[in-house]
Each structure stands twice: as C-alpha cells, then as structure tokens.
C-alpha cells in the first residue's frame, strides 16, 4: 500500500484560517440573520486598481491574436517586470539588487514554503512566537520538526517570543541557528523593525553563516521614512538574506496571484561535502523544474503597478486600509482596550479585554457582535491573550464592527 508523508500527522488541527472559516460557517448556518463582518483573514476587499485592469484587458487581447499570443513564459518571470521591480522597489532605495535576482511567483505564502526545497534537513530553524503559521507548518510538512507539545510548539524549532515587553521584535538569539524567519511589517502583530534591529539580525546571520528569510509582504504599509522597506537596505544583507514580496496587499492581488522572491547571487550555503553552493542556482533550478511562471496577463497587470497611474492608485488603496487601521486603533483605545500595531501595518494586535483567552474572545466576538477576528494563540503560544484585527475591509464594515465591539466590550 502507498505510504503517506507522516509529517502531516504532526500538524495541529486545521490551518488557522480554514479553521476560523469552519467556525464562522457553523455560526452563520445557525444564525442566518446575523450580519457577520469578517476582519479575520488578511484578505483585501477593494477592487483592483484601474491601471492593472486596463493592462490585463490589453494582455487578454494580445493573447487573442496569433501575432502577439504567448505560450509558456520564462519560469523566472518576464524581464520587463523583473527590471521594473529591481529599479522601483530596490535600486531606488539603494539596494544592490539586479533584475536577474528577482523570481516572479504566484504568492509569497507559496514561496516561503517552497524555499525549503533547496535547504537540507539538519538546519536549526528559528521562528518568532507569535508567527505567520505557514513558516511553521511548512517545516513540519518537510519533516524538519518533532511532534508538537500541548502548547502547540514543535520539537526542534527555536521559538523567539515577541511580546509587549520587547516591542514585538525578537531578541537576537544567543544560540546558533541556521535559518531565521523574519516578517516586517509583522503579521500578526503589526510591529515594524528599525534599521538598527535589522542590522543586528544581519550581523548575527553573517557571524553564524545563517540565512534570513525576510517576508516583506506588507512593506507598502510603511509610511515612516526612517523604517527600511527591504532587508537589502541593510549592509551585508546580500550575503545572508532571501526576501519575499507580494502584490497581494498593495495592489489587491490576493485573488489575482503575483509575488516575487529575491535570491541574491552572492548568497551561499553549505553542501554535505562542506563546499559552498550558490542558492540562486538551486532556486533557479527548482523553479525551472516545478514552476511554469505566472500568467502573462497577470504579469502585465503587475507591471502596471509601476506606471505613474498605477503608483498613485496603489498608494490610495494602501492609505485606505491604513485609515481603517487607524479607526480600529482609535476606537478600541478609546474603549480602554490595549492595542498594538496598525501603524505602518494593516494588522492591529489587540490585548483581549476582560482577561479572556484568544479563542474565548473569538467566540464571544462572533456570537455577541457577529464580528470575526483571528485568535492570537492561533499564531503561537505567546499569542495567547491577544487577538488580531485586520484592516482589510470596507470603511462601512470597519466602522460598524468597531461600534459593535466598543458597545459590548468597553473596559
Ligand atoms: C493572513 O490573514 O495572515 C493572511 O491571509 C496571510 C496571507 O496572505 O496568507
């Protein structure tokens, strides 16, 4: 009989967001009249920018004409998109990143999991706690961990607690780790990293020959000019970091799918025989074998983000969600509820009121206010007692949700 990958049996229950959806569906079926407002999953609600739509419509027309029709594109993405990204997102900020180091993909969630294909099994891996669950679950699936304990912590992973005491930015470990996941602006806490903090991580990684997986999916939400948008703004990062980015949260591509991963050609890791191997070559080999690229139409849509019209349209989108975040912060703070994040980030990290556990608050909020958020404990043991509220929704829904929460949970 065929055998399964037993590592999947180590995974805790369902992936967080489907589990939330399951609970919400049960509630909705039992309460069909309830007007549920979903501020749980960080999924965008506002329509695609006009510049992207126009470019995609044009690309569809090109696909309908034999003279301009496109079959398979380059597995790494079209050069015209990679060049625009290199110049607008990296070189303009002083980052020494070449277009050939940028790989276009269908999502940074996928890539943060897929990247493990090119790494061995004996790495010591550090994640923050709380953390975006994909980093942990993909390591469990790949057999990089032991079993989970009763708190949901997997054997073999190094957990770096992020709490209000350390401003939700992890302390640099005193022990040696080989792979480190960092996410700034952070999902779920909405925390940001200063240049000094990232420099400390780069210094650590270089001193320990570690690789940083830097998830910058929310970089567009940074409005503070002093905060770095890319790890490559930090000296030395080319030698120790892979960066993941996405068009999901700036241009509303969650359903359209387009993202990118940067693997500098200077980045190396060890083979079993002790030799140094360029990670770019391995990732290029992996993508060429397992991936056929993002559709031409979608890449043309992504390219339009870098036009003058596209830039101002995505700025407007990001500012819209940032204003939602501000409303959430202001209203909850005024109601005596402790909040973090939500500035330079689309997530507000809320201390659950009245000492409720994360899931108890989730259930109460759903039942009493018909509002959905994400329990902090779903992101890790140190998230217990916290709750994430996403700013991705219409203004009307955000205002209505805050009104309901403040009314029922004022401290
Ligand atoms: C989240 O809610 O954390 C998001 O859905 C993350 C993602 O984009 O996968």
């Amino acid at each position: 009989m065929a055998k399964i990958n037993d590592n999947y049996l180590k995974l805790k229950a369902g992936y967080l967001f489907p589990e939330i959806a399951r609970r919400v569906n049960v509630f909705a079926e039992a309460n069909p009249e309830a007007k549920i407002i979903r501020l749980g999953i960080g999924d965008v609600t506002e329509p695609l920018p006009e510049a992207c739509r126009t470019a995609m419509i044009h690309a569809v027309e090109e696909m309908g004409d034999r003279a301009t029709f496109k079959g398979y594109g380059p597995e790494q993405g079209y050069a015209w998109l990679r060049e625009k990204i290199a110049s607008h997102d990296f070189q303009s900020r002083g980052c020494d990143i070449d277009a050939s180091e940028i790989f276009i993909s269908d999502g940074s969630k996928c890539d943060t999991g897929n990247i493990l294909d090119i790494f061995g099994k004996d790495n010591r891996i550090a994640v923050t706690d709380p953390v975006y669950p994909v980093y942990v679950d993909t390591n469990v699936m790949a057999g990089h961990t032991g079993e989970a304990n009763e708190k949901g912590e997997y054997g073999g992973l190094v957990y770096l607690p992020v709490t209000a005491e350390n401003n939700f930015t992890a302390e640099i470990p005193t022990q040696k780790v080989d792979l480190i996941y960092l996410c700034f602006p952070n999902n779920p806490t909405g925390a940001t990293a200063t240049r000094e903090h990232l420099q400390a991580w780069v210094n650590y990684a270089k001193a320990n020959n570690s690789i940083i997986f830097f998830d910058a999916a929310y970089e567009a939400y940074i409005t503070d000019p002093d905060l770095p948008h890319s790890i490559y703004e930090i000296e030395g990062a080319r030698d120790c970091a892979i960066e993941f980015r996405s068009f999901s949260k700036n241009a509303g591509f969650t359903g359209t799918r387009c993202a990118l991963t940067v693997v500098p050609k200077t980045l190396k890791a060890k083979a079993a025989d002790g030799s140094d191997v360029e990670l770019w070559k391995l990732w290029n080999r992996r993508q060429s074998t397992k991936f056929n690229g993002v559709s031409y139409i979608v890449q043309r849509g992504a390219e339009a983000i870098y036009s003058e019209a596209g830039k101002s349209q995505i700025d407007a989108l990001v500012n819209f969600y940032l204003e939602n975040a501000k409303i959430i912060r202001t209203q909850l703070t005024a109601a005596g509820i402790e909040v973090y994040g939500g500035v330079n980030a689309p997530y507000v990290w809320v201390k659950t009121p009245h000492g409720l556990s994360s899931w108890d608050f989730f259930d109460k909020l759903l039942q009493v206010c018909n509002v959905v958020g994400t329990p902090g404990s779903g992101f890790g043991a140190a998230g217990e007692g916290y709750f994430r509220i996403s700013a991705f929704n219409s203004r009307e829904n955000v205002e209505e949700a805050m009104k309901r929460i403040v009314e029922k949970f004022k401290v």
Side-chain angles (χ1 to χ4, degrees), residues 15 17 40-43 109 132 134 187 218 249 347 379 388:
Y15 178 57
F17 297 106
I41 191 161
D43 192 4
K109 169 178 170 177
Y132 179 41
V134 172
N187 180 10
Y218 301 93
K249 311 296 162 92
Y347 295 124
F379 296 101
R388 192 191 76 176

Side-chain angles (χ1 to χ4, degrees), residues 6-327:
D6 274 80
N7 295 309
Y8 277 67
L9 304 180
K10 295 179 199 162
L11 292 166
K12 302 291 285 178
Y15 178 57
L16 177 62
F17 297 106
E19 172 59 19
I20 289 172
R22 191 190 62 76
R23 290 188 186 213
V24 174
N25 289 342
V26 170
F27 176 81
E29 262 170 41
N31 302 274
E33 74 298 341
K35 288 198 169 51
I36 298 173
I37 300 177
R38 292 161 206 266
L39 302 176
I41 191 161
D43 192 4
V44 294
T45 54
E46 303 311 297
L48 286 178
E50 200 209 329
C52 302
R53 295 197 315 266
T54 306
M56 285 194 273
I57 290 166
H58 180 68
V60 170
E61 295 300 338
E62 286 182 288
M63 294 299 264
D65 181 340
R66 176 172 289 277
T68 47
F69 170 78
K70 305 272 182 299
Y72 292 126
E75 294 91 350
Q76 301 79 0
Y78 284 99
W80 35 261
L81 176 57
R82 299 165 86 196
E83 274 153 20
K84 291 226 166 55
I85 295 167
S87 124
H88 286 82
D89 289 341
F90 294 102
Q91 291 156 7
S92 70
R93 294 188 176 277
C95 306
D96 177 18
I97 293 297
D98 186 73
S100 63
E101 297 173 313
I102 294 167
F103 293 80
I104 308 300
S105 79
D106 59 344
S108 51
K109 169 178 170 177
C110 324
D111 276 4
T112 56
N114 292 339
I115 197 75
L116 295 177
D117 273 11
I118 65 166
F119 287 92
K121 293 215 181 300
D122 298 324
N123 289 303
R124 209 150 162 69
I125 299 162
V127 291
T128 61
D129 178 9
V131 70
Y132 179 41
V134 172
Y135 311 154
V136 171
D137 287 3
T138 52
N139 274 291
V140 176
M141 291 170 178
H144 297 170
T145 72
E147 299 288 339
N149 65 17
E150 67 294 341
K151 285 176 18 197
E153 295 164 337
Y154 288 93
L157 290 184
V158 175
Y159 287 91
L160 308 171
V162 291
T163 59
E165 286 67 48
N166 60 19
N167 253 332
F168 299 100
T169 46
E171 315 284 345
I172 308 296
T174 46
Q175 60 190 298
K176 185 175 158 33
V177 297
D178 304 301
L179 302 175
I180 305 145
Y181 289 83
L182 296 179
C183 173
F184 289 112
N186 188 258
N187 180 10
T189 65
T192 50
T194 60
R195 221 164 268 280
E196 294 67 36
H197 183 69
L198 291 188
Q199 187 69 65
W201 274 113
V202 167
N203 294 347
Y204 169 89
K206 289 192 69 166
N208 290 282
N209 290 321
S210 330
I211 303 284
I212 296 170
F213 294 153
F214 190 75
D215 186 346
Y218 301 93
E219 62 76 32
Y221 289 81
I222 297 174
T223 54
D224 180 339
D226 292 333
L227 294 174
H229 288 240
S230 166
I231 188 120
Y232 304 117
E233 289 177 56
I234 308 302
E235 205 187 321
R238 271 189 65 82
D239 302 324
C240 64
I242 291 174
E243 182 163 307
F244 304 92
R245 284 204 181 192
S246 169
F247 298 112
S248 286
K249 311 296 162 92
N250 60 350
F253 272 42
T254 53
T256 307
R257 311 306 307 151
C258 198
L260 59 119
T261 292
V262 185
V263 185
K265 289 184 175 159
T266 40
L267 202 54
K268 295 194 175 80
K270 291 267 178 241
D273 66 4
S275 60
D276 285 344
V277 177
E278 284 174 37
L279 292 173
W280 183 93
K281 284 192 178 151
L282 298 190
W283 184 245
N284 190 48
R285 184 71 174 81
R286 190 262 173 217
Q287 290 298 84
S288 311
T289 304
K290 292 196 176 182
F291 189 56
N292 262 333
V294 174
S295 86
Y296 173 73
I297 298 160
V298 168
Q299 290 191 64
R300 280 295 185 200
E303 183 196 26
I305 291 166
Y306 297 96
S307 65
E308 282 316 306
K311 277 193 227 163
S312 76
Q313 288 161 18
I314 67 164
D315 277 356
L317 267 181
V318 166
N319 285 333
F320 174 81
Y321 293 124
L322 277 173
E323 184 61 27
N324 280 351
K326 189 171 167 192
I327 292 169

